[in-house]
Amino acid sequence: MLYCGLLLSYVLHAAGGWIDPDTPQSAMMQRTQTGQYWKLVFSDEFDQAGRTFGPGDDPVWEAVDLHYWQTGDMEKYIPSGATTSGGNLVLTCRKQNVDGFQYTSGMVQSWNKFCFQGGRIEFNVKLPVGSGWWPAVWTMGNLGRAGYGGSTAGTWPYSYNSCDPAILPGDIIQPGFSGLVGQRINACDQYPSYGLHPGQGRAAPELDAAEFVTTPGNPQVSQSFQTAPFSRDRKTLNTSYPGPNTYPNHYTGGQYQQTASAMTKLASYGDNFIVVGFEYEPTTESSNGWIRWFVDDTTTFELSGTGVGPQQYFVGQRQIPVEPMYIIMNLALSSSFGPVSPNLPFPSEFLIDYVRVYQPYEAIGCDPPSHPTAQYIQAHQQAYEDASLKSWPYQKPSFEGSGFPQKQAYFCGANPEVNPNAWLSPTKQACAELQNEYNWNCYQEVPMRCQQEPFNIAGAVFSKYYSVKKVASACDWGGAAAFSWYNPCAIE
């Protein structure tokens, strides 16, 4: 009988029927935080015991085999760290020596299997007890595979569809502050290939339903949107915190991301299940989008798309994720999210009773026509299958196909062929600093291998390596454009 139940669940999911037959009828519709009723499009109740999640075992989930170095984890994730028992997905952390690590645990992903665009996702979870656990339920764009650093380099956590300087590597735009390697698939690229759309910025943003702090006496949940690019202040506007136990998270990001986040104090944990999740509307041509997070029946945190609008350092509007988003559930052990107690009990379990996704209209699939991913992933399999990689293993992006300049400099009021000292490295002084200190009108030009086409800037005519189209002005002083962005190859 158990085998038949497993087979039925497998067949229904594999056939694209994403609703678990064990989902109760009462859960087929869900009232949103704004009073609308949305339809169930995906569920997994985990009622069938004994499921395994190794490669090819399950039509929805795969348990990864890797060390998650990105967050300084102490454990190694192994497939046997995830199974089902007692009506739950069980992620177990054990004190166990594997591949040089003293601990093992479980992470499951629906990467490249089930994805969704917009709607509501909710998890019913029960937390392990003790300080140092980092249980999390979250989502990421399908073009980046969590834990596979080759795939996330240049994709995570961008959510950007503008052709401007913010797509460039951080050491060019914000040296010493931003560690971003640049948006690999960006809106400046008119010839992206691999089934991608010309002039469409693509990436792997992150939306976190919940990351839990399990400190006894002070349990909390962090709910956040991780995005890029960002300015130095990483300031998020137009947020609200309606939850009575919710407050703004003091952490606003690091050298790789801007974080719009809220913390909510939990009354208790370890004994009871908690429902967590978010609802969101992606950015469209007519709307900036929004996100609302919740804990149980309480709305905790709200973010308008205008809250991640244009910022300093040439950063334009970030998008509320438009990418097909997949689901990740994991139990980590790390001091990066709280002190690790020397008295943690082993083994410890993170339980997920169910995962459900609701939408006002059906928008599911990891390779949607609006934001395709399949051909790109197929053409770059090493980045998505080799967890040891920490950078993009293929040809590094450049404007000769992916939108990045191979080098850049600032031109300030003189022809560099006449006055070579007019070229100043952006790693020494930003254009704004030059403007303020020397009252110069500064322009950024990007040397390119494009059609040679003369143009005029500040009275000097240039013809070497350039084909340009002015697309934006980033700042003004005294009515003069102090920094203007020119997009090579926008016209040829």
Side-chain angles (χ1 to χ4, degrees):
M1 191 67 183
L2 171 61
Y3 173 81
C4 292
L6 284 168
L7 180 62
L8 175 61
S9 178
Y10 186 97
V11 169
L12 286 174
H13 275 146
W18 294 110
I19 298 176
D20 189 329
D22 291 326
T23 303
Q25 191 64 33
S26 59
M28 294 297 163
M29 299 289 291
Q30 177 63 271
R31 188 176 187 270
T32 70
Q33 297 170 82
T34 57
Q36 298 175 301
Y37 284 88
W38 290 355
K39 181 180 178 181
L40 184 72
V41 296
F42 170 87
S43 62
D44 199 332
E45 306 296 323
F46 304 112
D47 284 349
Q48 305 299 330
R51 287 168 64 182
T52 59
F53 301 100
D57 289 354
D58 195 88
V60 182
W61 311 104
E62 181 171 326
V64 297
D65 187 355
L66 55 83
H67 172 238
Y68 205 89
W69 52 268
Q70 292 89 336
T71 49
D73 288 14
M74 300 167 64
E75 82 292 338
K76 183 182 180 184
Y77 290 124
I78 58 175
S80 60
T83 187
T84 52
S85 178
N88 302 301
L89 171 66
V90 183
L91 304 179
T92 304
C93 188
R94 296 180 174 88
K95 199 166 187 178
Q96 177 183 16
N97 291 316
V98 173
D99 296 336
F101 296 92
Q102 297 181 27
Y103 310 94
T104 64
S105 191
M107 169 190 279
V108 296
Q109 307 176 355
S110 71
W111 174 78
N112 218 28
K113 295 183 177 184
F114 174 79
C115 305
F116 65 104
Q117 293 171 289
R120 172 188 173 101
I121 185 168
E122 61 181 48
F123 305 81
N124 191 27
V125 304
K126 185 177 180 182
L127 307 177
V129 176
S131 178
W133 302 122
W134 191 350
V137 285
W138 48 299
T139 65
M140 182 185 287
N142 198 54
L143 283 173
R145 187 179 184 187
Y148 292 77
S151 74
T152 55
T155 58
W156 179 87
Y158 283 95
S159 192
Y160 205 56
N161 190 35
S162 297
C163 178
D164 58 36
I167 67 168
L168 299 171
D171 61 359
I172 292 176
I173 296 299
Q174 301 185 68
F177 175 76
S178 170
L180 293 169
V181 298
Q183 188 177 6
R184 189 190 324 136
I185 308 169
N186 57 73
C188 294
D189 189 357
Q190 298 299 317
Y191 307 100
S193 65
Y194 308 114
L196 304 178
H197 299 313
Q200 184 182 52
R202 299 295 307 280
E206 177 181 335
L207 268 174
D208 299 326
E211 297 177 278
F212 293 95
V213 179
T214 59
T215 305
N218 189 30
Q220 300 183 67
V221 56
S222 168
Q223 299 177 295
S224 60
F225 172 37
Q226 317 277 350
T227 189
F230 48 85
S231 70
R232 287 179 180 264
D233 62 10
R234 299 189 192 86
K235 190 173 184 179
T236 302
L237 305 173
N238 296 331
T239 56
S240 63
Y241 308 87
N245 298 310
T246 302
Y247 60 95
N249 192 342
H250 72 273
Y251 179 76
T252 58
Q255 64 173 326
Y256 297 107
Q257 85 272 44
Q258 176 177 340
T259 302
S261 180
M263 301 294 296
T264 298
K265 297 179 180 179
L266 302 174
S268 63
Y269 79 106
D271 297 325
N272 303 313
F273 279 83
I274 305 166
V275 177
V276 293
F278 58 82
E279 300 168 358
Y280 78 108
E281 179 183 277
T283 298
T284 65
E285 291 184 0
S286 59
S287 170
N288 286 321
W290 49 263
I291 313 168
R292 297 186 186 97
W293 288 263
F294 56 87
V295 174
D296 290 328
D297 296 324
T298 301
T299 301
T300 53
F301 176 36
E302 298 176 322
L303 170 66
S304 167
T306 57
V308 285
Q311 293 182 324
Q312 296 175 335
Y313 291 88
F314 331 113
V315 175
Q317 176 73 50
R318 276 66 52 80
Q319 295 180 310
I320 300 299
V322 297
E323 295 286 341
M325 306 291 282
Y326 67 97
I327 306 167
I328 307 153
M329 298 173 283
N330 63 281
L331 173 59
L333 177 61
S334 175
S335 60
S336 300
F337 213 60
V340 177
S341 170
N343 301 314
L344 283 175
F346 291 95
S348 283
E349 298 176 341
F350 179 34
L351 306 182
I352 298 94
D353 176 34
Y354 64 74
V355 185
R356 297 171 185 163
V357 177
Y358 297 85
Q359 292 179 323
Y361 48 82
E362 188 169 297
I364 58 177
C366 295
D367 186 41
S370 65
H371 292 79
T373 68
Q375 289 186 41
Y376 189 86
I377 292 170
Q378 180 64 28
H380 303 95
Q381 290 187 49
Q382 183 185 2
Y384 293 92
E385 295 177 357
D386 186 348
S388 69
L389 295 174
K390 295 186 178 183
S391 61
W392 184 241
Y394 301 91
Q395 181 177 356
K396 296 300 184 288
S398 74
F399 261 122
E400 298 182 23
S402 295
F404 294 131
Q406 294 180 345
K407 63 179 180 177
Q408 75 170 41
Y410 289 92
F411 167 60
C412 293
N415 188 329
E417 294 184 353
V418 176
N419 178 11
N421 294 326
W423 288 99
L424 300 177
S425 167
T427 60
K428 296 178 181 178
Q429 289 177 304
C431 181
E433 294 172 345
L434 292 174
Q435 172 69 21
N436 290 334
E437 186 172 353
Y438 301 108
N439 196 31
W440 287 347
N441 290 330
C442 302
Y443 300 86
Q444 182 197 47
E445 306 307 329
V446 184
M448 266 304 302
R449 184 185 67 79
C450 291
Q451 175 181 336
Q452 295 185 8
E453 179 174 323
F455 62 97
N456 184 294
I457 293 182
V461 177
F462 297 81
S463 61
K464 224 175 183 181
Y465 306 115
Y466 299 115
S467 174
V468 302
K469 177 181 180 182
K470 184 174 180 179
V471 295
S473 176
C475 51
D476 265 338
W477 282 274
F483 187 102
S484 296
W485 169 249
Y486 291 84
N487 174 18
C489 293
I491 56 175
E492 292 197 23

